[in-house]
């Protein structure tokens, strides 16, 4: 990739201004470039040449003070050469340019010393890395570190190396099965994902995004705060993957990885912690995890090189992962035992075309998919033995493909235009195998009346409770246009950042005859749900012991879409040699459309998001940096709320007592205790878009403040500290107490009604609702936050981060982080991790006043202490050892029950209120989960007889085999005053110890 020749003869100040603010290196969130700068001996005819193996070659002038600075360069490895009158005086090889960072390479008359910022070591006498040009908080992990460290092969596992990034506490995963992470106390869906500048975030729930094959990652940039006005749509963090590119030399490689079952420890069993169900299958055993099996293998290949030297380059990588599992489900699950195979093909291709010296085109294609199929069997939980075949499991296909094109034009020496456009399509295919529509799905068999089943739960071979459209999937289009102009001591950047998304044929409907059965039990003299008019079982035949069954009917299939547009302006101002200011302003607009293509959320008025940052090079030699950042971040709604609040949905329950159980597990001798009822008024009606949301609904926003420093300590160490404060200022969720809104409208003299199940509101503040009166006119019903019965919205996060780093010196590298933090308030965000509820912005929270009472406390992703230590040691050219340690304090425990001392259920949600045994139970009142300790180690042997191109590696994950609980069931009651045996039972644990063996060869 060749840059414009006209740049080669710019005076230094003009050159620096063309690519940054004065001589301050530019830094961009989610960028794909970096830069070089440094100091050389002052002499006439001196220049500095930077060149890599992908066609980029630049001769840079040196100013009167001996300073030079490059424009934005593609990331990669460079050679930096000091020239005088065209003759080579000295050179530095293998200088790494990192994404969004500036690397310093300086030559002195005595030593020609070379240094590199952000952990890149150029020579043994290099000073430690400090990037004085950045005002944000980020961690960059490059391909060499990825090859050396013992890491899981996902973008999220890599991201956990960054301070403040922890596993989510709700067990949330992406569509392709990757476990998600939480940044700075935020929800697991508050993060943005990028590949080569293209936004790959899941548009439906924002749960993860498409990621690269592990071997295709050149660098992964993990933003934990403070990023530029050029980017938004995240109030958690950013995972930006930059893929590899071809060079002047053809390179090939293959790798095979294996995670054998013999090296995997047995899982820890889970036992009922609060009693035993009436029809328990094996006493107090809840989940027999010791029988679980997991064998994983991955084969990968890559190739890259020049198609036309200095003109056209290609890099391609592909991997196929296969996972064979054997899983014994918990004894309350309908499908007891499953054998499955998941195939996960991933590929990546990058073309770099230097059209001319001033025009560059980059094309990216990527795919990240998973396909799973399996079979269900009976299982004898007492004998610990698999039984007869029941049915094939649903066949599932998830993930998808993307392509993007990025065009860069250096219009003049001071004016640069960048345009990017791309599309992504993901699928969510799920089809039952051997589906028998004559069978009715049955669950809750452990709660069946033992008088009718002889103490042995009765079910059937129906393994599917819902059917979905095989064409279900998501579509995303991302368009960016950026223009940078250098003038004086300022570089002004302006641009647009637009994203459109569509969720097609989403949702499902009940299988079999269109309904399912669920068995349960209550105290016989206590009404099951007085708010819905469902009485006590003792008032009905066969109800003397409290046993009843629910008939569940569900139907929802819809296509919804959204547009998200943004404009920004940013000034990078080099005030003097030591002080850099970054002043930005972003304006976001969001519009969401319902299943009838009618806009039900219109947030097109200006939503200003200022981004202000500074970097102070205290000593003027990049040895001591003080930096800070203040910004506002808006987050648009994912598409999911349109399905729950703005689409026609049927979701009803009818209650019965029963006098017998048929051979297929369905109830017989039914006596209706109610008609079909819906606590959310979901009877299949299409909501009116004018009444779906509160008037003037504003977007979720968060304010963030950062202040920190980084300093060298001698020639080989860097240390630092950072303070961060985040305050969630606004949020959106659904409010479902229709009766309260109708009562207020009656007080205002309206004879009004609504067909809504719920309204989308701004949580924890006053809202104005729109209803329809008897004459068909729209009327407005304002309600204060007090009338809604809510506390003020609150989620505040503060942290102190400390670091100590020893950059790689040819022998060893290490980094230590400690984070003290608190995430406190009455809402987690768009998800609710304590109950693993992934319905973004339509969680149980804020549905009514009762659900938010006593909700204030440490939130679900609160981990007060986080200790991370990782590194590697090169014993000799053949042997390398590595380790990665994370010690993290536990998240808060929860005890949820029915509402109040009387155990009522005002929202028909069951055991979901912040009460425990009739007493208020705030988050954390029950204490916290235990600390987790995860120690992973690795060793690599690259024999000299193969010229170190052949490598054998072994990694052991969770060496200590500590399978501590990450989540306990919070539901304390089955029905009012009836203890739930599952309460306090472990439902999510650390993975057992396992090993990964690999062999690779690079040609």
């Amino acid at each position: 990739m060749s840059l414009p020749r006209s740049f080669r003869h710019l005076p230094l100040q003009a050159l620096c201004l063309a690519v940054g603010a004065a001589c301050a290196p530019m830094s961009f969130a989610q960028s794909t470039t970096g830069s070089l700068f440094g100091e050389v001996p002052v002499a006439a005819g001196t220049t500095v040449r930077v060149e890599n193996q992908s066609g980029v070659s630049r001769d840079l002038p040196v100013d009167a003070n001996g300073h030079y600075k490059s424009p934005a360069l593609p990331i990669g490895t460079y050679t930096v050469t000091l020239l005088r009158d065209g003759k080579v005086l000295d050179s530095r090889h293998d200088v790494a340019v990192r994404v969004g960072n500036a690397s310093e390479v300086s030559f002195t008359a005595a030593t020609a010393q070379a240094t590199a910022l952000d952990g890149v070591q150029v020579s043994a006498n290099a000073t430690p890395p400090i990037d004085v040009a950045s005002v944000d908080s980020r961690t960059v992990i490059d391909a060499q570190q990825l090859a050396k460290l013992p890491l899981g092969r996902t973008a999220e596992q890599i991201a956990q190396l960054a301070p403040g990034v922890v596993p989510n506490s709700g067990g949330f995963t992406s569509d392709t099965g990757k476990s998600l992470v939480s940044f700075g106390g935020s929800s697991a869906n508050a993060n943005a994902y990028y590949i080569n500048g293209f936004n790959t975030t899941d548009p439906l729930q924002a749960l993860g995004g498409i990621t690269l094959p592990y071997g295709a990652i050149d660098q992964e940039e993990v933003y934990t705060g403070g990023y530029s006005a050029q980017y938004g749509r995240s109030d958690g963090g950013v995972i930006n993957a930059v893929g590899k590119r071809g060079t002047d030399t053809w390179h090939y490689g293959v790798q095979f990885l294996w995670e054998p079952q013999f090296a995997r420890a047995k899982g820890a069993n889970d036992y009922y912690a609060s009693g035993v169900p009436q029809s328990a299958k094996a006493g107090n055993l809840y989940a027999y995890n010791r029988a679980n099996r997991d064998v994983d293998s991955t084969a990968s290949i890559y190739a890259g090189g020049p198609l036309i030297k200095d003109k056209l380059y290609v890099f391609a990588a592909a991997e196929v992962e296969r996972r064979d599992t054997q899983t014994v489900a918990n004894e309350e699950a309908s499908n007891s035992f499953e054998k499955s195979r998941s195939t996960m093909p991933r590929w990546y291709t990058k073309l770099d075309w230097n059209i001319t010296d001033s025009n560059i085109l980059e094309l990216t294609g990527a795919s990240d998919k998973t396909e799973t199929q399996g079979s269900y069997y009976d299982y004898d939980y007492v004998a610990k033995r698999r039984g007869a075949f029941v049915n094939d499991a649903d066949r599932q296909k998830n993930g998808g493909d993307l392509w993007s094109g990025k065009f860069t034009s250096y219009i003049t020496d001071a004016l640069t235009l960048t345009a990017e456009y791309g599309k992504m399509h993901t699928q969510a295919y799920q089809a039952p195998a051997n589906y028998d529509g004559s069978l009715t799905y049955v669950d809750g068999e452990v709660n069946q009346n033992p008088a009718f089943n002889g103490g042995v739960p009765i079910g059937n071979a129906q393994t599917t409770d819902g059917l979905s459209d095989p064409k279900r999937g998501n579509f995303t289009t991302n368009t960016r246009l950026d223009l940078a102009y250098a003038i004086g001591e300022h570089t002004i950047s302006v641009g647009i950042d637009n994203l459109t998304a569509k969720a097609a044929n989403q949702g499902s409907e009940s299988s079999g005859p269109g309904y399912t059965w669920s068995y349960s039990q209550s105290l016989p003299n206590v009404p099951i749900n007085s708010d819905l008019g469902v009485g006590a079982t003792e008032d009905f035949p066969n109800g003397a012991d409290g046993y009843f069954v629910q008939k569940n009917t569900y139907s929802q299939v819809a296509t919804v879409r959204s547009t998200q547009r943004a404009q920004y302006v940013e000034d990078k101002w080099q005030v003097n040699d030591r002080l850099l200011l970054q002043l930005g302003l972003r304006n976001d607009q969001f519009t969401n459309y319902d299943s009838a293509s009618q806009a039900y959320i219109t947030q097109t008025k200006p939503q200003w998001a200022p981004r202000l940052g500074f970097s102070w090079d205290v000593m003027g030699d990049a040895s001591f940096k003080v930096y800070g950042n203040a910004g506002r971040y808006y987050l648009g709604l994912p598409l999911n709320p349109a399905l729950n609040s703005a689409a026609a949905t049927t979701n009803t329950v009818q209650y019965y007592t029963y006098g017998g159980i048929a051979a297929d597990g369905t109830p017989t001798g039914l006596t209706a205790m109610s008609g079909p009822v819906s606590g959310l008024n979901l009877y299949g009606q299409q909501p009116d878009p004018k009444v779906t949301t509160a008037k003037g609904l504003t977007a979720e926003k968060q304010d963030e403040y950062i202040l920190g420093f980084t300093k060298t300590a001698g020639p080989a160490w860097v240390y630092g500290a950072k303070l961060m404060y985040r305050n969630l200022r606004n949020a959106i969720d659904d409010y479902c107490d229709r009766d309260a809104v109708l009562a207020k409208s009656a007080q205002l003299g309206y004879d009004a009604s609504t067909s809504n199940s719920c309204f989308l509101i701004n949580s924890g503040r006053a809202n104005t609702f729109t209803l329809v009166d008897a004459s068909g006119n729209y009327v407005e019903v304002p309600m204060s936050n007090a009338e809604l019965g809510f506390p003020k919205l609150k989620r505040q996060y503060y942290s102190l981060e400390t670091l100590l780093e020893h950059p790689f010196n040819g022998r060893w590298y290490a980094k230590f982080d400690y984070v003290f933090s608190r995430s406190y308030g009455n809402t987690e965000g768009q998800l609710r991790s304590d109950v693993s509820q992934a319905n973004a912005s339509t969680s149980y929270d804020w549905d009514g006043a009762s659900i938010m009472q006593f909700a204030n406390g440490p939130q679900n992703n609160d981990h007060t202490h986080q200790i991370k230590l990782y590194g590697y040691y090169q014993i000799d050219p053949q042997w390398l050892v590595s380790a990665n340690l994370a010690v993290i304090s536990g998240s808060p425990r929860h005890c949820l029950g029915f509402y109040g001392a009387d155990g009522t259920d005002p929202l028909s949600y069951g055991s979901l209120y912040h009460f425990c045994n009739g007493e208020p139970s705030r988050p954390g009142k029950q204490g916290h989960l235990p600390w987790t300790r995860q120690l992973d180690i690795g060793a690599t042997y690259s024999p000299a007889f193969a010229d170190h191109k052949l490598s054998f590696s072994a990694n052991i994950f969770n060496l200590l085999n500590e399978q501590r609980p990450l989540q306990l069931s919070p539901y304390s009651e089955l029905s009012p005053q009836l203890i739930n045996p599952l309460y306090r039972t472990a439902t999510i644990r650390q993975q057992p110890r396992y090993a990964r063996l690999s062999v690779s060869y690079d040609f």
Side-chain angles (χ1 to χ4, degrees):
M1 183 182 296
S2 179
L3 293 175
R5 292 188 180 92
S6 59
F7 274 28
R8 301 180 183 180
H9 306 292
L10 286 174
L12 180 62
Q13 184 182 36
L15 174 64
C16 293
L17 289 172
V19 296
C23 284
M26 295 186 71
S27 59
F28 300 99
Q30 298 88 67
S31 68
T32 58
T33 61
S35 61
L36 293 168
F37 73 100
E39 184 177 357
V40 303
V42 178
T46 299
T47 57
V48 174
R49 177 176 297 164
V50 297
E51 54 188 338
N52 70 5
Q53 295 183 342
S54 296
V56 176
S57 179
R58 295 289 313 285
D59 286 350
L60 307 176
V62 178
D63 70 6
N65 297 315
H67 298 127
Y68 76 92
K69 171 70 177 72
S70 79
L73 299 170
I75 67 169
T77 302
Y78 284 75
T79 297
V80 182
T81 305
L82 178 64
L83 304 171
R84 185 171 300 158
D85 297 326
K87 296 181 179 180
V88 176
L89 298 181
D90 203 351
S91 294
R92 293 291 176 264
H93 301 281
D94 300 324
V95 177
V97 172
R98 283 190 157 190
V99 58
N101 288 307
S103 295
E104 181 187 0
V105 180
S106 293
F107 300 85
T108 66
T111 63
Q113 183 184 38
T115 66
L117 296 183
D118 276 343
V120 180
Q121 176 72 34
V122 180
S123 65
N125 64 340
T127 59
I130 295 180
D131 182 359
V132 296
S134 64
V135 303
D136 48 52
S137 299
R138 76 166 85 98
T139 298
V140 179
I141 307 296
D142 62 31
Q144 290 186 356
Q145 291 173 304
L146 294 178
K148 295 173 180 177
L149 289 168
L151 295 171
R153 293 170 60 86
T154 70
E156 293 81 6
Q157 293 279 351
I158 299 169
Q160 289 182 52
L161 296 177
V165 183
V166 297
N168 80 87
S169 62
F172 300 123
T173 62
S174 68
D175 284 345
T176 52
K178 301 177 182 69
S179 182
L180 303 179
V181 291
S182 168
F183 284 71
S186 297
S187 296
N189 75 330
N191 309 320
Y193 287 69
Y194 288 83
I195 291 179
N196 288 353
F198 179 86
N199 191 321
T200 70
T201 311
D202 162 39
L204 182 63
Q205 301 274 23
L207 292 171
I210 286 182
T211 57
L212 289 176
Y214 192 83
I217 300 172
D218 193 345
Q219 297 179 20
E220 179 168 306
E221 184 180 37
V222 183
Y223 273 87
T224 54
Y227 45 89
S228 161
Q230 299 182 44
Y231 297 90
R233 306 189 184 111
S234 166
D235 61 15
V238 175
I239 297 177
N240 176 37
V242 181
K244 294 179 179 178
R245 65 180 68 218
T247 65
D248 280 335
T249 303
W250 278 99
H251 291 279
Y252 313 87
V254 295
Q255 185 179 38
F256 180 76
L257 305 99
W258 182 37
E259 296 174 7
Q261 176 58 41
F262 70 78
R264 183 178 295 270
K266 293 184 181 298
N269 293 337
D270 295 318
Y271 296 89
Y272 285 103
S274 301
V276 178
Q278 289 292 329
S279 294
K281 298 177 181 178
N284 67 341
L285 177 66
Y286 172 66
Y288 186 58
N289 298 322
R290 289 182 59 83
N292 295 342
R293 301 289 184 268
D294 190 336
V295 177
D296 193 289
S297 60
T298 302
S300 65
I301 187 171
Y302 76 87
L307 297 177
I308 304 175
K309 191 171 183 180
D310 294 329
K311 198 72 173 178
L312 185 62
Y313 297 85
V314 66
F315 181 88
E319 69 178 29
V320 178
E321 180 180 2
R322 191 178 75 181
R323 177 174 297 152
D324 292 305
T325 62
Q326 170 183 301
T327 305
V328 179
N330 68 72
E331 72 159 44
E332 295 187 8
S334 298
N335 304 308
S336 301
F337 183 97
E338 181 181 9
K339 290 188 67 175
S340 68
R341 168 168 291 179
S342 297
T343 304
M344 292 156 275
R346 309 178 188 99
W347 59 262
Y348 164 80
T349 301
K350 178 82 181 328
L351 281 172
D352 294 281
W353 180 19
N354 302 334
I355 304 171
T356 68
D357 283 346
S358 299
N359 297 285
I360 301 167
L361 180 63
E362 303 171 59
L363 299 177
T364 297
S367 179
D368 181 6
K369 296 179 179 178
T370 181
E371 181 175 345
T372 302
Q373 52 189 342
S375 301
Y376 292 120
Y377 297 81
D378 283 329
Y379 191 79
D380 188 331
Y381 287 86
V382 176
K384 310 293 189 297
R385 185 173 54 245
R386 190 186 80 182
F389 171 80
V390 175
N391 203 348
D392 288 327
D394 292 357
R395 185 177 182 183
Q396 302 180 49
K397 298 179 183 180
N398 293 284
D401 309 311
L402 71 86
W403 69 265
S404 68
K406 180 181 179 182
F407 175 72
T408 302
S409 179
Y410 299 94
I411 300 171
T412 70
D413 292 343
L415 186 63
T416 303
L417 172 70
T418 303
E420 183 167 16
Y421 178 81
K423 290 189 173 184
M424 179 176 71
H425 172 222
T426 60
Q427 61 179 337
Y429 174 87
Q430 182 172 356
N434 304 321
Y435 172 67
D436 185 351
S438 66
L439 292 176
T440 306
Y441 182 85
V442 176
D443 69 1
E445 296 100 313
V446 295
N447 296 314
Q448 290 173 344
N449 189 335
F452 301 137
N453 66 10
V456 179
I458 302 174
N460 62 53
Q462 181 60 275
T463 59
T464 301
D465 64 344
L467 303 174
S468 61
D469 192 315
K471 296 180 180 179
R472 183 173 62 173
N474 303 314
F475 300 84
T476 299
T477 300
N478 195 186
T479 305
R480 286 196 61 93
L481 187 64
D482 303 278
L483 191 66
Y485 180 61
I487 180 171
E489 296 182 344
H490 303 263
T491 295
I492 310 297
S493 299
V494 298
I496 62 172
D497 175 14
N498 296 341
L499 186 148
T500 63
K502 180 174 73 172
N505 307 305
Q506 293 287 347
S508 62
E509 56 187 2
S510 299
S511 62
Y515 58 84
T516 65
W517 292 107
S518 297
Y519 288 93
S520 191
Q521 184 186 13
S522 68
L523 292 177
N525 60 340
V526 177
I528 294 174
N529 192 319
S530 56
D531 296 282
L532 291 177
V534 185
T537 60
E538 68 177 8
D539 297 329
F540 299 87
N542 301 308
D545 295 320
Y547 292 98
F548 65 95
V549 69
Q550 300 171 200
K551 181 181 180 181
N552 310 298
T553 303
Y554 183 82
S555 177
Q556 178 203 74
V557 178
T559 296
V560 296
R561 61 188 177 92
S562 69
T563 61
Q564 299 186 8
R565 304 181 185 277
Q567 308 81 42
Y568 76 89
V569 58
E570 185 174 76
D571 179 13
K572 293 182 71 71
W573 176 21
Q574 190 72 47
V575 179
N576 55 44
D577 289 343
R578 300 187 181 189
L579 181 61
L580 169 69
L581 297 181
Q582 181 172 293
L583 312 173
L585 186 65
R586 180 181 175 92
N587 180 25
D588 283 287
Q589 303 99 43
F590 310 126
T591 304
N592 291 65
Y593 299 87
D594 65 14
S595 57
S597 291
Q598 303 173 94
Y600 73 98
I601 294 178
T602 305
Q603 296 166 339
T604 54
K605 294 181 180 180
Q607 298 183 125
W608 300 113
R611 311 283 176 81
L612 311 174
F614 77 92
S615 175
W616 178 28
D617 184 2
V618 179
M619 309 305 294
D621 60 359
S623 66
F624 183 15
K625 166 188 167 183
V626 177
Y627 63 99
N629 193 288
R632 172 164 290 180
Y633 302 86
Y634 282 92
L635 185 63
L637 277 185
L639 293 170
N640 170 74
L643 299 176
N644 291 342
S645 298
T649 303
T650 298
N651 188 2
T652 63
V653 178
Q654 188 168 8
Y655 295 83
Y656 298 85
T657 56
Y658 55 97
I661 301 174
D664 63 358
T666 58
T668 61
L670 295 169
T671 301
M673 301 175 64
S674 72
V677 295
S678 175
L680 298 178
N681 195 40
L682 294 172
Y683 295 100
Q685 69 279 13
Q686 173 67 45
D688 184 340
K690 292 184 178 180
V691 304
T692 299
T693 66
K695 183 180 179 181
L697 191 74
T698 56
E700 179 173 327
K701 64 183 178 184
Q702 178 174 269
D703 291 343
E704 178 186 84
Y705 305 91
I706 293 172
L707 180 64
F709 78 90
T710 311
K711 193 178 187 305
T712 60
W717 292 90
V718 174
Y719 68 96
K722 184 186 76 174
L723 293 169
M724 174 186 281
Y725 174 71
R726 287 178 162 183
N727 188 7
L728 184 64
R729 294 286 189 182
N730 199 55
I732 297 175
D733 214 302
D734 56 344
Y735 174 71
C736 304
D737 193 347
R738 298 166 59 254
D739 292 339
V741 179
L742 292 173
K744 179 59 186 293
S745 71
Q747 291 178 18
L748 296 175
Y750 299 130
D751 180 12
S753 64
T754 179
S755 60
N756 281 32
S757 60
C758 300
F759 305 87
L760 287 174
I761 65 168
N762 285 132
S763 310
R765 56 181 290 185
N767 287 269
T768 298
F769 301 90
T770 301
L771 304 181
V772 180
D773 68 12
S775 300
N777 301 313
Y778 293 103
V779 297
E780 295 183 358
V781 180
M783 296 184 70
S784 68
N785 200 41
E787 289 176 311
L788 292 169
F790 286 142
K792 184 179 179 181
L793 173 77
K794 182 180 181 181
R795 188 190 74 195
Q796 297 179 346
Y797 174 85
Y798 56 87
S799 68
L800 169 64
E801 300 178 7
T802 61
L803 73 90
L804 179 65
E805 183 176 19
H806 183 283
F808 187 59
N809 61 357
R811 177 67 70 178
W812 67 286
Y813 170 85
K815 187 174 183 181
F816 169 84
D817 290 301
Y818 168 72
V819 178
F820 172 83
S821 65
R822 295 301 305 272
S823 180
Y824 195 90
N826 51 31
T827 189
E828 175 185 341
Q830 293 185 352
L831 307 179
R832 186 162 165 185
S833 298
D834 60 328
V835 294
S836 299
Q837 189 183 24
N839 296 326
S841 286
T842 54
S843 69
Y844 298 124
D845 284 352
W846 308 103
D847 284 4
S850 54
I851 203 79
M852 295 305 297
Q853 193 171 357
F854 305 111
N856 193 48
Q859 286 302 296
N860 298 315
N861 291 309
D862 175 73
H863 297 271
T864 305
H865 305 282
Q866 303 167 39
I867 300 170
K868 298 181 181 180
L869 174 63
Y870 59 91
Y872 42 87
Y873 184 79
Q874 189 78 52
I875 300 173
D876 58 36
Q878 297 187 109
W879 284 97
L880 178 140
V881 292
S882 58
N884 181 18
L885 172 68
V887 181
I888 301 173
S889 62
S891 58
R893 297 175 185 254
H894 296 266
C895 180
L896 305 175
F898 284 79
Y899 180 75
D902 297 331
T904 60
D905 190 6
L907 293 174
S908 303
Y909 286 175
S911 184
L912 263 168
Y913 306 90
H914 292 280
F915 284 85
C916 190
N917 297 320
E919 298 291 330
S921 179
R922 297 183 184 275
K925 183 178 180 180
Q926 313 299 321
H928 285 69
L929 291 171
W931 287 58
T932 59
R933 292 174 294 202
Q934 179 85 18
L935 175 60
D936 307 328
I937 62 172
T940 299
Y941 172 57
S942 302
F945 69 76
D947 197 23
H948 307 296
K949 295 179 179 180
L950 175 66
S951 293
F952 301 91
S953 295
N955 296 288
I956 300 176
F957 298 91
N958 192 9
L959 178 67
L960 304 178
N961 197 29
E962 293 190 350
Q963 302 177 44
R964 298 191 174 182
L966 303 177
Q967 186 188 80
L968 303 181
S969 175
Y971 309 111
S972 66
E973 297 174 285
L974 282 175
S975 62
Q977 303 174 32
L978 182 63
I979 297 298
N980 181 5
L982 192 60
Y983 172 54
R984 295 185 301 181
T985 302
T987 52
I988 303 176
R989 288 184 179 272
Q990 288 178 271
Q991 283 194 60
R993 180 180 57 238
Y994 69 98
R996 184 175 68 209
L997 308 175
S998 68
V999 59
S1000 64
Y1001 194 89
D1002 297 289
F1003 299 87

